[in-house]
């Protein structure tokens, strides 16, 4: 690529490095997976293996999110919405986390309000949001994770809930500005919510934009993340 | 999990480790027949010899063609059926999606890294979808648009999950069938509900063909507000603006589209043309050069790009003189053009004239004269005529190179062959005011118009008389010959008499000179097929 500017902006340096890191990680994960069948069963089901799988997913999710935020910043994040079937979409997200869920002994379920429920959204973008939220939920869930979808007055709602401790009170209180709640204990969660909010807002219909919401309690007793897509 | 033991798989990836691990995953899913390739070119040649059911293609293969180019060539060359599942495997999906053309989208994207559960879930779903869509896809393979419509109607009734997909196939079929009122209704209704990108492009396109340029512009501009990263919308808006005489704005839009998605030969070519019209020779050279380079390995290779590049380079002459470096560049371009299209007589003529025009500016009058004379000598025995646009360009070059007589003859031919198109006549009027050229087709034109009117009113006998009379006056006119042939076949019905068939065949022989890129070429082939049977 020819660059007319004399110096490089730091954000460009980061983005291009993250891009390489992502490729490197992809190769690492893939090689690791090839190697797995040779492991003795006791190692395959060890705690360490669970940690490796989980951190792989987390790292990948963070890199995808970072690239997404970079592109949002320079207005280069492509939005390609289309009609998708919710059950199919949710199953695909759960399949991506199968190893981690198994290694953590978490049962994940998918519930769609009606057969053949459809939504109009950018599959890739929503998938990266959901992946981050699921990764986060896995960290806090005890044994159950539920992804639900339904329609509310023409707006599609996708919710991810767990049976963990729930979101900290401070985060619930500062829903309108997730960046404010960024601190050391909630850093990645807060950034994930910020990213989710931006992606939700990209989706709109007749002037109405999508948004997100977090709450605690029902249906599994832990945290619940909701994304509303008009 | 579905049974994959009878499915034929093809994996295309430049990483051998990845190919092996993907193949292992497929085997775990029960696949038995799995072929592999590491280059797009190899994938194409494999697809020429074997019908694959599922292709998993890496987007970015390093050297050679990328996944999108391979997919386009597979679809255009009909190397895969519509029933084939094509999955684009990417390291980062958003980039690949921006670069994909809307009309040639893969069935799904799969982002690396993925596990077996994801692969299996994805494939199961795609097989389920393709199975449900089978009647539509088979009709598409047969290019039977009416059958596509029927299949869409019944599937979207049966299962509403497929309704959005069916709408898209329906729109395509209505366009093929020329049922434009219904198409407009369908698209407007769809867009009233939501801004769906493909429907915006389809409606913009439709409105432009119907001559409703301001409405088309509005559709595109509205869509671009929601989807500023969609190169197809820039293409559409640029076309509308250029049709409204706003060449400069159109060019700016295409420059943006090319920045978003540079790997698109037709977009680069369009940009080159617009920049030439705007006398922006620097941008034109760059665009045509990209088109030429990408064309070397593509089915979208086009001699116009070499000629455009030559013209853009020649345009960079300062004070009527061309510097050595530019001339050298032109010489190379022309030489590659002549080698690549050695059997195309029309291209050989145009290459020589373009070369001669540049040599005049370099001060090599002798060589320019020699090439011009060669070109004029070859003009006489062209197997197929130029397109109207090319003919006018050639006529203008001939005039500039001092060949006024050859130029007039060419324009006269152009009037005879294409004179029924008002846009062509306007272009010719820019070059000459000779009434012998401009007025030569008027009477035939009126007869042709009367013929069309009679034909539309169902008076096929009368239509034929008008068309015959028109053709007698302008024996090389493509439209009049096609109209006469069509009327003859219509009158003859299933049992056409030998005399009638013979006349019809004679008409069609006339049309042989039509270049293959003419929009009427498909109609010509259909009529030929009817008149000559399977030859």
């Amino acid at each position: 690529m020819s660059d007319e500017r004399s110096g490089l902006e730091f954000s460009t340096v980061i983005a291009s490095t993250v891009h390489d890191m992502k490729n490197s990680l992809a190769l690492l994960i893939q090689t690791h997976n090839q190697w797995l069948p040779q492991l003795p069963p006791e190692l395959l089901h060890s705690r360490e293996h669970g940690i490796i799988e989980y951190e792989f997913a987390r790292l990948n999710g963070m890199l995808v999110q970072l690239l997404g935020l970079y592109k949002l910043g320079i207005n280069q994040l492509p939005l390609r919405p289309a009609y998708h079937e919710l059950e199919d979409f949710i199953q695909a997200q759960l399949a991506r986390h199968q190893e981690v869920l198994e290694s953590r002994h978490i049962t994940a379920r998918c519930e769609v309000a009606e057969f053949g429920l459809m939504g109009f959204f950018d599959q890739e973008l929503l998938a990266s949001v959901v992946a981050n939220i699921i990764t986060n939920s896995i960290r806090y869930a005890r044994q159950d994770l539920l992804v639900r979808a339904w329609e509310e007055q023409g707006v599609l709602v996708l919710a991810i809930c767990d049976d963990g401790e729930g979101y900290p009170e401070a985060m619930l209180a500062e829903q309108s500005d997730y960046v404010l709640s960024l601190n050391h204990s909630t850093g990645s969660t807060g950034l994930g919510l910020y990213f989710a909010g931006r992606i939700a807002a990209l989706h709109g219909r007749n002037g109405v934009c999508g948004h997100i919401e977090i709450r605690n309690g029902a249906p599994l007793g832990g945290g619940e993340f909701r994304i509303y897509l008009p | 999990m579905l049974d994959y033991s009878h499915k034929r798989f093809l994996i295309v990836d430049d990483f051998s480790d990845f190919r092996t691990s993907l193949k292992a995953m497929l085997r775990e899913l029960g696949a038995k027949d799995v072929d592999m390739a590491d280059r797009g070119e190899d994938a194409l040649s494999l697809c020429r010899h074997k019908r694959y059911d599922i292709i998993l293609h890496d987007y970015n293969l390093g050297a050679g063609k990328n996944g999108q180019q391979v997919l386009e060539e597979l679809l255009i060359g009909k190397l895969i059926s519509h029933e084939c599942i094509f999955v684009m495997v990417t390291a980062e999906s958003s980039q690949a999606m921006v670069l994909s053309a809307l009309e040639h989208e893969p069935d799904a994207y799969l982002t690396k890294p993925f596990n077996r559960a994801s692969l299996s879930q994805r494939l199961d779903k795609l097989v389920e979808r393709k199975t449900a869509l089978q009647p539509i896809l088979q009709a598409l393979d047969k290019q039977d648009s009416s059958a596509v419509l029927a299949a869409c109607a019944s599937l979207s009734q049966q299962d509403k999950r497929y309704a959005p997909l069916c709408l898209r196939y329906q729109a395509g079929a209505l366009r093929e069938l020329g049922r434009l009122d219904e198409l407009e209704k369908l698209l407007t209704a769809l867009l009233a509900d939501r801004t769906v990108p493909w429907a915006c492009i389809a409606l913009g396109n439709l409105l432009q063909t119907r001559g409703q340029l301001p409405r088309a512009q509005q559709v595109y501009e509205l869509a671009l507000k929601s989807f500023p990263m969609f190169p197809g919308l820039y293409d559409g808006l640029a076309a509308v603006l250029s049709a409204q005489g706003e060449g400069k704005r159109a060019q700016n839009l295409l420059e943006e589209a090319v920045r978003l998605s540079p790997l698109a030969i037709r977009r680069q070519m369009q940009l080159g043309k617009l920049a030439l019209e705007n006398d922006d020779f620097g941008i034109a050279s760059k665009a045509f050069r990209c088109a030429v380079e990408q064309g070397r390995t593509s089915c979208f290779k086009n001699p116009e790009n070499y000629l455009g590049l030559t013209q853009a380079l020649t345009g960079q002459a300062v004070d009527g003189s061309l510097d050595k470096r530019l001339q050298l560049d032109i010489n190379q371009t022309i030489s590659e053009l002549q080698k690549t299209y050695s059997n195309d007589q029309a291209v050989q003529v145009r290459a020589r004239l373009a070369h001669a025009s540049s040599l005049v500016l370099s001060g090599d009058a002798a060589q320019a004269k020699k090439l011009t004379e060669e070109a004029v000598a070859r003009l006489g025995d062209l197997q197929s005529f130029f397109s109207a646009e090319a003919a006018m360009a050639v006529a203008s070059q001939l005039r500039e190179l001092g060949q006024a007589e050859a130029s007039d003859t060419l324009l006269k031919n152009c009037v005879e062959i294409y004179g029924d198109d008002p846009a062509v006549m306007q272009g010719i009027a820019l070059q000459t005011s000779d009434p012998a050229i401009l007025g030569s087709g008027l009477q035939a034109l009126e007869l042709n118009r009367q013929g069309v009117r009679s034909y539309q009113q169902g008076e096929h006998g009368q239509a034929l008389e008008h068309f015959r009379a028109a053709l007698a006056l302008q024996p090389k006119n493509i439209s009049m010959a096609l109209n006469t042939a069509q009327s003859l076949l219509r009158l003859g019905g299933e049992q056409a008499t030998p005399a009638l068939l013979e006349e019809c065949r004679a008409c069609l022989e006339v049309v042989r000179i039509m270049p293959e890129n003419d929009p009427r070429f498909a109609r010509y082939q259909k009529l030929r097929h009817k008149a000559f049977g399977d030859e």
Side-chain angles (χ1 to χ4, degrees), chain A residues 22-35:
Chain A
K22 212 187 144 290
N23 284 334
S24 168
L25 181 63
L27 208 59
L28 191 61
I29 296 176
Q30 185 194 306
T31 315
H32 173 76
N33 288 342
Q34 271 175 288
W35 187 48

Side-chain angles (χ1 to χ4, degrees), chain B residues 46-258:
Chain B
L46 282 169
C47 288
R48 271 188 203 103
H49 297 107
K50 184 166 167 182
R51 287 269 149 178
Y52 290 97
D53 300 303
I54 300 175
I55 300 176
L56 298 153
H57 202 299
D58 186 65
Y59 173 72
N60 197 348
L61 289 175
K65 290 180 208 280
N66 67 31
Q68 186 58 38
Q69 290 171 305
V70 173
L71 174 58
E72 284 180 14
E73 300 216 1
L74 286 174
L75 289 170
I76 288 166
K78 298 197 169 53
L79 298 178
I80 52 174
S81 146
H82 285 88
E83 291 186 71
C84 171
I85 292 172
F86 190 102
V87 178
M88 194 75 83
V89 180
T90 63
E92 198 207 337
S93 50
S94 62
Q95 175 214 8
M97 282 174 155
V98 168
L99 299 177
S100 89
L102 258 186
E103 65 269 37
H104 302 127
E105 274 180 315
D107 293 300
Y109 291 93
L110 202 56
T111 314
K112 284 182 189 174
F114 52 84
N115 55 13
R116 206 193 75 189
S118 290
L119 179 66
S120 147
Q121 195 269 347
R122 199 70 296 183
L123 291 181
D124 284 0
K125 206 64 211 176
L126 287 167
V127 169
E128 184 196 327
R129 190 208 297 173
K130 289 271 179 179
T131 311
L133 293 173
Q134 198 179 43
I136 301 174
L137 303 173
Q138 286 176 346
L140 278 173
D141 279 343
K142 286 186 206 138
Q143 292 177 298
D144 183 346
S145 299
S146 309
V148 171
L149 285 181
C152 284
S154 89
L155 180 61
S156 43
Q157 278 257 311
Q158 267 168 41
D159 193 334
K160 69 162 188 163
R161 291 177 300 165
Y162 298 111
L165 261 177
C166 284
L167 276 176
R168 200 164 167 177
Y169 289 120
Q170 264 170 311
L174 288 173
R175 194 185 50 224
E176 282 296 312
L177 292 168
R179 286 158 63 174
L180 302 186
D181 287 331
E182 285 163 84
L183 176 59
E184 189 173 334
K185 227 170 112 190
L186 178 142
L187 294 171
T188 329
L190 180 67
L191 288 171
D193 186 42
R194 266 189 196 287
T195 318
V196 182
W198 72 261
C200 295
I201 292 179
L203 182 61
N205 242 318
L206 173 66
L207 290 172
Q208 188 180 3
T209 37
R210 306 193 106 183
Q212 301 190 25
L213 301 179
R215 272 187 70 201
Q217 182 177 345
Q218 213 181 359
V219 167
Y220 285 126
E221 282 175 343
L222 208 65
L224 268 172
K225 270 195 198 129
S226 310
F227 308 110
M229 296 285 289
F230 244 105
L233 290 170
Y234 292 79
D235 295 339
L237 184 54
V240 173
L241 288 175
S242 143
Q244 292 181 113
E246 293 192 60
K248 194 68 209 161
R249 267 181 76 198
Q251 181 188 327
N252 291 341
L253 275 169
L254 281 190
E255 283 177 54
E256 259 181 78
V258 160

Side-chain angles (χ1 to χ4, degrees), chain A residues 30-80:
Chain A
Q30 185 194 306
T31 315
H32 173 76
N33 288 342
Q34 271 175 288
W35 187 48
L36 282 182
Q38 298 162 32
L39 281 187
E42 64 273 18
L43 282 183
L44 207 52
H45 300 293
S46 66
R47 200 179 78 87
E48 287 79 1
H49 179 225
I51 294 174
I52 292 174
E53 291 285 353
Y54 178 74
E55 295 302 328
F56 272 158
R58 210 159 78 95
L59 210 45
N60 190 59
M62 286 192 282
L63 295 179
V64 170
Q65 179 176 295
L66 198 51
L67 282 175
L69 286 169
Y70 167 72
K71 287 187 183 161
L72 266 172
I74 57 167
N75 264 327
Q76 293 270 313
L77 190 67
L79 176 71
R80 295 195 79 129

